[in-house]
Amino acid sequence: MEILVGGLSLWGADLDPVIQVDVLLATGFSVDYTAHVAYNYFRARGSPQERVYSSLAEMAMPMCEAGLSTFLCMLPLIFVPTYAIVCFAKTVFLVVAIGLLHGLFILPVVLALFSRNSIDEKDAPPPAAITFSADQPLVDKNLDAV
């Protein structure tokens, strides 16, 4: 978060209430990139390097596409002559850039260097299977149990 506030300061934004709200909104958005990589890493099997490779092979392209589409969607907002909208666009640009940097480079390096355990197929718990059938209701209408 300090990198975001520092980047906004370098970009000419003051720490006013508009920027504070933008930073609060960006907090949830910032964990998205690393969360996907971490989830796929801990779901994968093999050595730490194999798990990083598997995670990045599965998530790198969708993350780049998500970052690019977010940049493209926010680009017109830079040209709107309203302070709050421009600040929001700058905040989203920085959050996406920092999130992609962390998700594609920093987190995989940290996971590959500092994970000690390999996970083999025989050691792994079976994945939780969630099955639904067409005749199974999504909501139980029996409210007596409540």
Side-chain angles (χ1 to χ4, degrees):
M1 206 49 62
E2 293 83 15
I3 296 172
L4 175 62
V5 173
L8 287 170
S9 176
L10 289 175
W11 208 343
D14 294 328
L15 193 58
D16 57 8
V18 172
I19 293 294
Q20 291 175 358
V21 168
D22 291 342
V23 169
L24 287 174
L25 289 172
T27 303
F29 190 48
S30 65
V31 299
D32 190 40
Y33 299 99
T34 53
H36 287 298
V37 172
Y39 172 75
N40 282 295
Y41 175 81
F42 287 107
R43 195 177 57 124
R45 305 292 171 245
S47 69
Q49 289 78 17
E50 291 169 340
R51 293 164 64 197
V52 165
Y53 177 81
S54 172
S55 177
L56 287 177
E58 190 169 333
M59 289 308 306
M61 193 61 180
M63 284 174 54
C64 290
E65 290 170 350
L68 179 63
S69 67
T70 304
F71 276 127
L72 292 175
C73 288
M74 295 309 257
L75 188 61
L77 295 181
I78 289 291
F79 303 108
V80 175
T82 305
Y83 176 72
I85 294 174
V86 172
C87 288
F88 179 70
K90 288 179 180 181
T91 304
V92 171
F93 281 146
L94 286 174
V95 166
V96 169
I98 294 167
L100 285 173
L101 178 71
H102 278 94
L104 293 174
F105 299 106
I106 295 173
L107 180 64
V109 169
V110 168
L111 290 173
L113 290 177
F114 297 111
S115 293
R116 289 179 269 169
N117 300 335
S118 293
I119 297 178
D120 296 329
E121 290 294 330
K122 63 180 181 329
D123 297 335
I130 300 174
T131 58
F132 294 105
S133 65
D135 58 345
Q136 183 181 20
L138 292 176
V139 178
D140 188 13
K141 293 183 181 180
N142 184 5
L143 298 177
D144 295 334
V146 178

PDB file of all heavy atoms in Angstrom, residues 86-116:
ATOM      1  N   VAL A  86     -10.028  11.282 -12.415  1.00  0.00           N
ATOM      2  CA  VAL A  86      -8.626  11.147 -12.804  1.00  0.00           C
ATOM      3  C   VAL A  86      -7.833  10.465 -11.688  1.00  0.00           C
ATOM      4  O   VAL A  86      -6.998   9.587 -11.951  1.00  0.00           O
ATOM      5  CB  VAL A  86      -8.018  12.521 -13.174  1.00  0.00           C
ATOM      6  CG1 VAL A  86      -6.516  12.418 -13.379  1.00  0.00           C
ATOM      7  CG2 VAL A  86      -8.689  13.071 -14.418  1.00  0.00           C
ATOM      8  N   CYS A  87      -8.095  10.828 -10.446  1.00  0.00           N
ATOM      9  CA  CYS A  87      -7.409  10.179  -9.318  1.00  0.00           C
ATOM     10  C   CYS A  87      -7.748   8.702  -9.241  1.00  0.00           C
ATOM     11  O   CYS A  87      -6.877   7.867  -8.987  1.00  0.00           O
ATOM     12  CB  CYS A  87      -7.770  10.868  -8.009  1.00  0.00           C
ATOM     13  SG  CYS A  87      -7.031  12.490  -7.835  1.00  0.00           S
ATOM     14  N   PHE A  88      -9.006   8.369  -9.475  1.00  0.00           N
ATOM     15  CA  PHE A  88      -9.403   6.966  -9.465  1.00  0.00           C
ATOM     16  C   PHE A  88      -8.697   6.198 -10.576  1.00  0.00           C
ATOM     17  O   PHE A  88      -8.193   5.094 -10.357  1.00  0.00           O
ATOM     18  CB  PHE A  88     -10.918   6.844  -9.613  1.00  0.00           C
ATOM     19  CG  PHE A  88     -11.403   5.422  -9.633  1.00  0.00           C
ATOM     20  CD1 PHE A  88     -11.357   4.639  -8.487  1.00  0.00           C
ATOM     21  CD2 PHE A  88     -11.879   4.856 -10.804  1.00  0.00           C
ATOM     22  CE1 PHE A  88     -11.789   3.332  -8.503  1.00  0.00           C
ATOM     23  CE2 PHE A  88     -12.320   3.542 -10.822  1.00  0.00           C
ATOM     24  CZ  PHE A  88     -12.272   2.781  -9.676  1.00  0.00           C
ATOM     25  N   ALA A  89      -8.630   6.779 -11.764  1.00  0.00           N
ATOM     26  CA  ALA A  89      -7.951   6.113 -12.874  1.00  0.00           C
ATOM     27  C   ALA A  89      -6.468   5.919 -12.577  1.00  0.00           C
ATOM     28  O   ALA A  89      -5.911   4.839 -12.832  1.00  0.00           O
ATOM     29  CB  ALA A  89      -8.143   6.911 -14.161  1.00  0.00           C
ATOM     30  N   LYS A  90      -5.820   6.920 -12.031  1.00  0.00           N
ATOM     31  CA  LYS A  90      -4.404   6.793 -11.663  1.00  0.00           C
ATOM     32  C   LYS A  90      -4.207   5.698 -10.624  1.00  0.00           C
ATOM     33  O   LYS A  90      -3.260   4.907 -10.708  1.00  0.00           O
ATOM     34  CB  LYS A  90      -3.872   8.122 -11.121  1.00  0.00           C
ATOM     35  CG  LYS A  90      -3.694   9.188 -12.170  1.00  0.00           C
ATOM     36  CD  LYS A  90      -3.181  10.474 -11.521  1.00  0.00           C
ATOM     37  CE  LYS A  90      -2.982  11.572 -12.531  1.00  0.00           C
ATOM     38  NZ  LYS A  90      -2.461  12.805 -11.916  1.00  0.00           N
ATOM     39  N   THR A  91      -5.097   5.644  -9.650  1.00  0.00           N
ATOM     40  CA  THR A  91      -4.995   4.612  -8.616  1.00  0.00           C
ATOM     41  C   THR A  91      -5.143   3.225  -9.219  1.00  0.00           C
ATOM     42  O   THR A  91      -4.366   2.317  -8.899  1.00  0.00           O
ATOM     43  CB  THR A  91      -6.071   4.838  -7.531  1.00  0.00           C
ATOM     44  OG1 THR A  91      -5.928   6.148  -7.004  1.00  0.00           O
ATOM     45  CG2 THR A  91      -5.945   3.833  -6.415  1.00  0.00           C
ATOM     46  N   VAL A  92      -6.096   3.047 -10.111  1.00  0.00           N
ATOM     47  CA  VAL A  92      -6.297   1.735 -10.734  1.00  0.00           C
ATOM     48  C   VAL A  92      -5.104   1.369 -11.606  1.00  0.00           C
ATOM     49  O   VAL A  92      -4.655   0.217 -11.606  1.00  0.00           O
ATOM     50  CB  VAL A  92      -7.618   1.706 -11.527  1.00  0.00           C
ATOM     51  CG1 VAL A  92      -7.734   0.435 -12.357  1.00  0.00           C
ATOM     52  CG2 VAL A  92      -8.794   1.813 -10.571  1.00  0.00           C
ATOM     53  N   PHE A  93      -4.550   2.331 -12.353  1.00  0.00           N
ATOM     54  CA  PHE A  93      -3.359   2.055 -13.155  1.00  0.00           C
ATOM     55  C   PHE A  93      -2.222   1.534 -12.281  1.00  0.00           C
ATOM     56  O   PHE A  93      -1.583   0.533 -12.605  1.00  0.00           O
ATOM     57  CB  PHE A  93      -2.877   3.314 -13.872  1.00  0.00           C
ATOM     58  CG  PHE A  93      -3.651   3.662 -15.111  1.00  0.00           C
ATOM     59  CD1 PHE A  93      -3.851   4.977 -15.445  1.00  0.00           C
ATOM     60  CD2 PHE A  93      -4.163   2.689 -15.949  1.00  0.00           C
ATOM     61  CE1 PHE A  93      -4.556   5.323 -16.586  1.00  0.00           C
ATOM     62  CE2 PHE A  93      -4.866   3.012 -17.086  1.00  0.00           C
ATOM     63  CZ  PHE A  93      -5.063   4.338 -17.415  1.00  0.00           C
ATOM     64  N   LEU A  94      -1.970   2.220 -11.188  1.00  0.00           N
ATOM     65  CA  LEU A  94      -0.877   1.807 -10.308  1.00  0.00           C
ATOM     66  C   LEU A  94      -1.154   0.461  -9.635  1.00  0.00           C
ATOM     67  O   LEU A  94      -0.256  -0.369  -9.510  1.00  0.00           O
ATOM     68  CB  LEU A  94      -0.606   2.883  -9.260  1.00  0.00           C
ATOM     69  CG  LEU A  94       0.110   4.119  -9.780  1.00  0.00           C
ATOM     70  CD1 LEU A  94       0.197   5.178  -8.691  1.00  0.00           C
ATOM     71  CD2 LEU A  94       1.502   3.763 -10.268  1.00  0.00           C
ATOM     72  N   VAL A  95      -2.391   0.234  -9.211  1.00  0.00           N
ATOM     73  CA  VAL A  95      -2.729  -1.038  -8.563  1.00  0.00           C
ATOM     74  C   VAL A  95      -2.551  -2.200  -9.531  1.00  0.00           C
ATOM     75  O   VAL A  95      -2.007  -3.248  -9.176  1.00  0.00           O
ATOM     76  CB  VAL A  95      -4.160  -0.998  -7.996  1.00  0.00           C
ATOM     77  CG1 VAL A  95      -4.657  -2.376  -7.639  1.00  0.00           C
ATOM     78  CG2 VAL A  95      -4.200  -0.115  -6.777  1.00  0.00           C
ATOM     79  N   VAL A  96      -2.973  -2.022 -10.761  1.00  0.00           N
ATOM     80  CA  VAL A  96      -2.828  -3.088 -11.754  1.00  0.00           C
ATOM     81  C   VAL A  96      -1.351  -3.334 -12.043  1.00  0.00           C
ATOM     82  O   VAL A  96      -0.902  -4.490 -12.094  1.00  0.00           O
ATOM     83  CB  VAL A  96      -3.604  -2.752 -13.040  1.00  0.00           C
ATOM     84  CG1 VAL A  96      -3.244  -3.698 -14.165  1.00  0.00           C
ATOM     85  CG2 VAL A  96      -5.091  -2.794 -12.771  1.00  0.00           C
ATOM     86  N   ALA A  97      -0.581  -2.281 -12.218  1.00  0.00           N
ATOM     87  CA  ALA A  97       0.846  -2.441 -12.497  1.00  0.00           C
ATOM     88  C   ALA A  97       1.569  -3.128 -11.340  1.00  0.00           C
ATOM     89  O   ALA A  97       2.341  -4.076 -11.547  1.00  0.00           O
ATOM     90  CB  ALA A  97       1.475  -1.083 -12.792  1.00  0.00           C
ATOM     91  N   ILE A  98       1.303  -2.689 -10.126  1.00  0.00           N
ATOM     92  CA  ILE A  98       1.947  -3.288  -8.958  1.00  0.00           C
ATOM     93  C   ILE A  98       1.458  -4.724  -8.757  1.00  0.00           C
ATOM     94  O   ILE A  98       2.235  -5.624  -8.441  1.00  0.00           O
ATOM     95  CB  ILE A  98       1.692  -2.428  -7.700  1.00  0.00           C
ATOM     96  CG1 ILE A  98       2.387  -1.073  -7.843  1.00  0.00           C
ATOM     97  CG2 ILE A  98       2.169  -3.137  -6.438  1.00  0.00           C
ATOM     98  CD1 ILE A  98       1.944  -0.043  -6.820  1.00  0.00           C
ATOM     99  N   GLY A  99       0.159  -4.961  -8.961  1.00  0.00           N
ATOM    100  CA  GLY A  99      -0.384  -6.309  -8.818  1.00  0.00           C
ATOM    101  C   GLY A  99       0.195  -7.275  -9.822  1.00  0.00           C
ATOM    102  O   GLY A  99       0.535  -8.421  -9.486  1.00  0.00           O
ATOM    103  N   LEU A 100       0.336  -6.849 -11.085  1.00  0.00           N
ATOM    104  CA  LEU A 100       0.956  -7.714 -12.094  1.00  0.00           C
ATOM    105  C   LEU A 100       2.424  -7.975 -11.774  1.00  0.00           C
ATOM    106  O   LEU A 100       2.905  -9.099 -11.932  1.00  0.00           O
ATOM    107  CB  LEU A 100       0.822  -7.085 -13.482  1.00  0.00           C
ATOM    108  CG  LEU A 100      -0.547  -7.165 -14.122  1.00  0.00           C
ATOM    109  CD1 LEU A 100      -0.583  -6.359 -15.413  1.00  0.00           C
ATOM    110  CD2 LEU A 100      -0.932  -8.607 -14.393  1.00  0.00           C
ATOM    111  N   LEU A 101       3.127  -6.955 -11.321  1.00  0.00           N
ATOM    112  CA  LEU A 101       4.530  -7.125 -10.946  1.00  0.00           C
ATOM    113  C   LEU A 101       4.669  -8.148  -9.822  1.00  0.00           C
ATOM    114  O   LEU A 101       5.495  -9.062  -9.894  1.00  0.00           O
ATOM    115  CB  LEU A 101       5.128  -5.782 -10.518  1.00  0.00           C
ATOM    116  CG  LEU A 101       6.570  -5.813 -10.044  1.00  0.00           C
ATOM    117  CD1 LEU A 101       7.495  -6.054 -11.223  1.00  0.00           C
ATOM    118  CD2 LEU A 101       6.922  -4.517  -9.349  1.00  0.00           C
ATOM    119  N   HIS A 102       3.835  -8.023  -8.811  1.00  0.00           N
ATOM    120  CA  HIS A 102       3.900  -8.964  -7.695  1.00  0.00           C
ATOM    121  C   HIS A 102       3.430 -10.357  -8.098  1.00  0.00           C
ATOM    122  O   HIS A 102       4.031 -11.359  -7.709  1.00  0.00           O
ATOM    123  CB  HIS A 102       3.053  -8.458  -6.519  1.00  0.00           C
ATOM    124  CG  HIS A 102       3.766  -7.463  -5.683  1.00  0.00           C
ATOM    125  ND1 HIS A 102       3.639  -6.111  -5.891  1.00  0.00           N
ATOM    126  CD2 HIS A 102       4.619  -7.607  -4.642  1.00  0.00           C
ATOM    127  CE1 HIS A 102       4.387  -5.476  -5.012  1.00  0.00           C
ATOM    128  NE2 HIS A 102       4.993  -6.345  -4.240  1.00  0.00           N
ATOM    129  N   GLY A 103       2.344 -10.443  -8.860  1.00  0.00           N
ATOM    130  CA  GLY A 103       1.786 -11.736  -9.209  1.00  0.00           C
ATOM    131  C   GLY A 103       2.611 -12.519 -10.206  1.00  0.00           C
ATOM    132  O   GLY A 103       2.673 -13.747 -10.139  1.00  0.00           O
ATOM    133  N   LEU A 104       3.260 -11.825 -11.134  1.00  0.00           N
ATOM    134  CA  LEU A 104       4.008 -12.519 -12.183  1.00  0.00           C
ATOM    135  C   LEU A 104       5.493 -12.675 -11.882  1.00  0.00           C
ATOM    136  O   LEU A 104       6.142 -13.566 -12.444  1.00  0.00           O
ATOM    137  CB  LEU A 104       3.847 -11.785 -13.517  1.00  0.00           C
ATOM    138  CG  LEU A 104       2.445 -11.799 -14.108  1.00  0.00           C
ATOM    139  CD1 LEU A 104       2.384 -10.922 -15.352  1.00  0.00           C
ATOM    140  CD2 LEU A 104       2.015 -13.220 -14.436  1.00  0.00           C
ATOM    141  N   PHE A 105       6.046 -11.832 -11.007  1.00  0.00           N
ATOM    142  CA  PHE A 105       7.478 -11.891 -10.776  1.00  0.00           C
ATOM    143  C   PHE A 105       7.848 -12.121  -9.312  1.00  0.00           C
ATOM    144  O   PHE A 105       8.549 -13.079  -8.985  1.00  0.00           O
ATOM    145  CB  PHE A 105       8.157 -10.610 -11.288  1.00  0.00           C
ATOM    146  CG  PHE A 105       7.984 -10.407 -12.759  1.00  0.00           C
ATOM    147  CD1 PHE A 105       7.110  -9.456 -13.235  1.00  0.00           C
ATOM    148  CD2 PHE A 105       8.664 -11.186 -13.670  1.00  0.00           C
ATOM    149  CE1 PHE A 105       6.927  -9.272 -14.591  1.00  0.00           C
ATOM    150  CE2 PHE A 105       8.497 -11.026 -15.030  1.00  0.00           C
ATOM    151  CZ  PHE A 105       7.624 -10.065 -15.495  1.00  0.00           C
ATOM    152  N   ILE A 106       7.401 -11.248  -8.432  1.00  0.00           N
ATOM    153  CA  ILE A 106       7.871 -11.295  -7.039  1.00  0.00           C
ATOM    154  C   ILE A 106       7.357 -12.530  -6.308  1.00  0.00           C
ATOM    155  O   ILE A 106       8.147 -13.282  -5.727  1.00  0.00           O
ATOM    156  CB  ILE A 106       7.485  -9.994  -6.306  1.00  0.00           C
ATOM    157  CG1 ILE A 106       8.222  -8.818  -6.952  1.00  0.00           C
ATOM    158  CG2 ILE A 106       7.796 -10.096  -4.825  1.00  0.00           C
ATOM    159  CD1 ILE A 106       7.809  -7.462  -6.450  1.00  0.00           C
ATOM    160  N   LEU A 107       6.055 -12.785  -6.319  1.00  0.00           N
ATOM    161  CA  LEU A 107       5.508 -13.939  -5.600  1.00  0.00           C
ATOM    162  C   LEU A 107       6.044 -15.270  -6.129  1.00  0.00           C
ATOM    163  O   LEU A 107       6.438 -16.117  -5.325  1.00  0.00           O
ATOM    164  CB  LEU A 107       3.988 -13.919  -5.623  1.00  0.00           C
ATOM    165  CG  LEU A 107       3.310 -15.078  -4.893  1.00  0.00           C
ATOM    166  CD1 LEU A 107       3.628 -15.025  -3.392  1.00  0.00           C
ATOM    167  CD2 LEU A 107       1.821 -15.049  -5.118  1.00  0.00           C
ATOM    168  N   PRO A 108       6.107 -15.505  -7.446  1.00  0.00           N
ATOM    169  CA  PRO A 108       6.669 -16.779  -7.908  1.00  0.00           C
ATOM    170  C   PRO A 108       8.118 -16.990  -7.490  1.00  0.00           C
ATOM    171  O   PRO A 108       8.507 -18.106  -7.128  1.00  0.00           O
ATOM    172  CB  PRO A 108       6.538 -16.698  -9.436  1.00  0.00           C
ATOM    173  CG  PRO A 108       5.399 -15.781  -9.660  1.00  0.00           C
ATOM    174  CD  PRO A 108       5.491 -14.764  -8.564  1.00  0.00           C
ATOM    175  N   VAL A 109       8.919 -15.930  -7.502  1.00  0.00           N
ATOM    176  CA  VAL A 109      10.312 -16.064  -7.067  1.00  0.00           C
ATOM    177  C   VAL A 109      10.380 -16.406  -5.587  1.00  0.00           C
ATOM    178  O   VAL A 109      11.130 -17.301  -5.166  1.00  0.00           O
ATOM    179  CB  VAL A 109      11.113 -14.778  -7.382  1.00  0.00           C
ATOM    180  CG1 VAL A 109      12.468 -14.786  -6.694  1.00  0.00           C
ATOM    181  CG2 VAL A 109      11.276 -14.610  -8.882  1.00  0.00           C
ATOM    182  N   VAL A 110       9.589 -15.728  -4.780  1.00  0.00           N
ATOM    183  CA  VAL A 110       9.577 -16.002  -3.334  1.00  0.00           C
ATOM    184  C   VAL A 110       9.105 -17.433  -3.066  1.00  0.00           C
ATOM    185  O   VAL A 110       9.693 -18.152  -2.258  1.00  0.00           O
ATOM    186  CB  VAL A 110       8.692 -14.969  -2.599  1.00  0.00           C
ATOM    187  CG1 VAL A 110       8.423 -15.386  -1.166  1.00  0.00           C
ATOM    188  CG2 VAL A 110       9.344 -13.597  -2.638  1.00  0.00           C
ATOM    189  N   LEU A 111       8.057 -17.866  -3.749  1.00  0.00           N
ATOM    190  CA  LEU A 111       7.560 -19.227  -3.550  1.00  0.00           C
ATOM    191  C   LEU A 111       8.580 -20.271  -3.988  1.00  0.00           C
ATOM    192  O   LEU A 111       8.757 -21.288  -3.313  1.00  0.00           O
ATOM    193  CB  LEU A 111       6.242 -19.423  -4.310  1.00  0.00           C
ATOM    194  CG  LEU A 111       5.035 -18.674  -3.767  1.00  0.00           C
ATOM    195  CD1 LEU A 111       3.852 -18.825  -4.714  1.00  0.00           C
ATOM    196  CD2 LEU A 111       4.670 -19.156  -2.382  1.00  0.00           C
ATOM    197  N   ALA A 112       9.246 -20.042  -5.094  1.00  0.00           N
ATOM    198  CA  ALA A 112      10.235 -21.012  -5.584  1.00  0.00           C
ATOM    199  C   ALA A 112      11.463 -21.074  -4.682  1.00  0.00           C
ATOM    200  O   ALA A 112      12.032 -22.144  -4.473  1.00  0.00           O
ATOM    201  CB  ALA A 112      10.654 -20.675  -7.010  1.00  0.00           C
ATOM    202  N   LEU A 113      11.873 -19.944  -4.130  1.00  0.00           N
ATOM    203  CA  LEU A 113      13.083 -19.916  -3.310  1.00  0.00           C
ATOM    204  C   LEU A 113      12.862 -20.398  -1.887  1.00  0.00           C
ATOM    205  O   LEU A 113      13.742 -21.029  -1.299  1.00  0.00           O
ATOM    206  CB  LEU A 113      13.667 -18.500  -3.281  1.00  0.00           C
ATOM    207  CG  LEU A 113      14.291 -17.990  -4.565  1.00  0.00           C
ATOM    208  CD1 LEU A 113      14.755 -16.553  -4.387  1.00  0.00           C
ATOM    209  CD2 LEU A 113      15.445 -18.869  -4.995  1.00  0.00           C
ATOM    210  N   PHE A 114      11.706 -20.098  -1.314  1.00  0.00           N
ATOM    211  CA  PHE A 114      11.523 -20.344   0.106  1.00  0.00           C
ATOM    212  C   PHE A 114      10.591 -21.496   0.442  1.00  0.00           C
ATOM    213  O   PHE A 114      10.379 -21.784   1.617  1.00  0.00           O
ATOM    214  CB  PHE A 114      11.053 -19.063   0.805  1.00  0.00           C
ATOM    215  CG  PHE A 114      12.068 -17.961   0.726  1.00  0.00           C
ATOM    216  CD1 PHE A 114      11.827 -16.841  -0.052  1.00  0.00           C
ATOM    217  CD2 PHE A 114      13.278 -18.060   1.395  1.00  0.00           C
ATOM    218  CE1 PHE A 114      12.763 -15.824  -0.137  1.00  0.00           C
ATOM    219  CE2 PHE A 114      14.226 -17.056   1.309  1.00  0.00           C
ATOM    220  CZ  PHE A 114      13.967 -15.937   0.538  1.00  0.00           C
ATOM    221  N   SER A 115      10.021 -22.159  -0.545  1.00  0.00           N
ATOM    222  CA  SER A 115       9.222 -23.357  -0.266  1.00  0.00           C
ATOM    223  C   SER A 115      10.157 -24.550  -0.201  1.00  0.00           C
ATOM    224  O   SER A 115      10.956 -24.777  -1.106  1.00  0.00           O
ATOM    225  CB  SER A 115       8.177 -23.582  -1.364  1.00  0.00           C
ATOM    226  OG  SER A 115       7.231 -22.562  -1.331  1.00  0.00           O
ATOM    227  N   ARG A 116      10.055 -25.311   0.856  1.00  0.00           N
ATOM    228  CA  ARG A 116      10.963 -26.437   1.032  1.00  0.00           C
ATOM    229  C   ARG A 116      10.347 -27.771   0.647  1.00  0.00           C
ATOM    230  O   ARG A 116      11.046 -28.705   0.338  1.00  0.00           O
ATOM    231  CB  ARG A 116      11.417 -26.507   2.484  1.00  0.00           C
ATOM    232  CG  ARG A 116      12.354 -25.391   2.844  1.00  0.00           C
ATOM    233  CD  ARG A 116      12.740 -25.495   4.270  1.00  0.00           C
ATOM    234  NE  ARG A 116      11.732 -24.686   4.994  1.00  0.00           N
ATOM    235  CZ  ARG A 116      11.576 -24.670   6.283  1.00  0.00           C
ATOM    236  NH1 ARG A 116      12.321 -25.417   7.033  1.00  0.00           N
ATOM    237  NH2 ARG A 116      10.672 -23.916   6.842  1.00  0.00           N
TER     238      ARG A 116
END
